[in-house]
Amino acid sequence: IESKLGADTWFYTKRCLLALADQLAKQMLLLQQESFSEIILFLDDIDRHGSGMTPFYGDEVQTEQGISKSSKKGGETISSEARQLKNMFMKLME
């Protein structure tokens, strides 16, 4: 995941997950518990690997360690967005 994770891939992944959450919230779609578990595990992996990456494409500054950080919106990372999505899916799972 770490080698493929970036602002552009995260953007499209996030869009798909938000569309799925929208359908689940409207009760237009039902998922089995196993599917929810896989989504939660995936978001845990994203949380682990996306801690130093900005979710905004073209808004990255390379540091000496090769980690990209946001030059604008302070503190928002791919990891923080993954945690928010995880919380959303945990609420939808109930």
Side-chain angles (χ1 to χ4, degrees), residues 24-51:
L24 289 168
K26 293 177 182 176
Q27 297 181 348
M28 297 174 71
L29 184 69
L30 295 175
L31 283 182
Q32 294 181 353
Q33 184 67 31
E34 183 178 313
S35 298
F36 276 111
S37 298
E38 287 184 32
I39 291 169
I40 299 299
L41 288 175
F42 173 73
L43 291 171
D44 282 339
D45 285 343
I46 297 296
D47 183 17
R48 202 170 27 254
H49 296 293
S51 60

Side-chain angles (χ1 to χ4, degrees), residues 7 55-56 82 86:
F56 309 108
K86 179 182 173 184

Side-chain angles (χ1 to χ4, degrees), residues 77-91:
T77 62
I78 290 175
S79 182
S80 66
E81 288 187 353
R83 284 192 299 271
Q84 290 174 355
L85 279 172
K86 179 182 173 184
N87 288 336
M88 186 185 315
F89 276 99
M90 299 266 292
K91 288 180 182 178

Side-chain angles (χ1 to χ4, degrees), residues 54 56 58-61 68-74:
T54 177
F56 309 108
D59 189 32
E60 300 152 353
V61 178
S68 60
K69 295 185 178 181
S70 175
S71 62
K72 290 184 183 172
K73 304 185 183 190

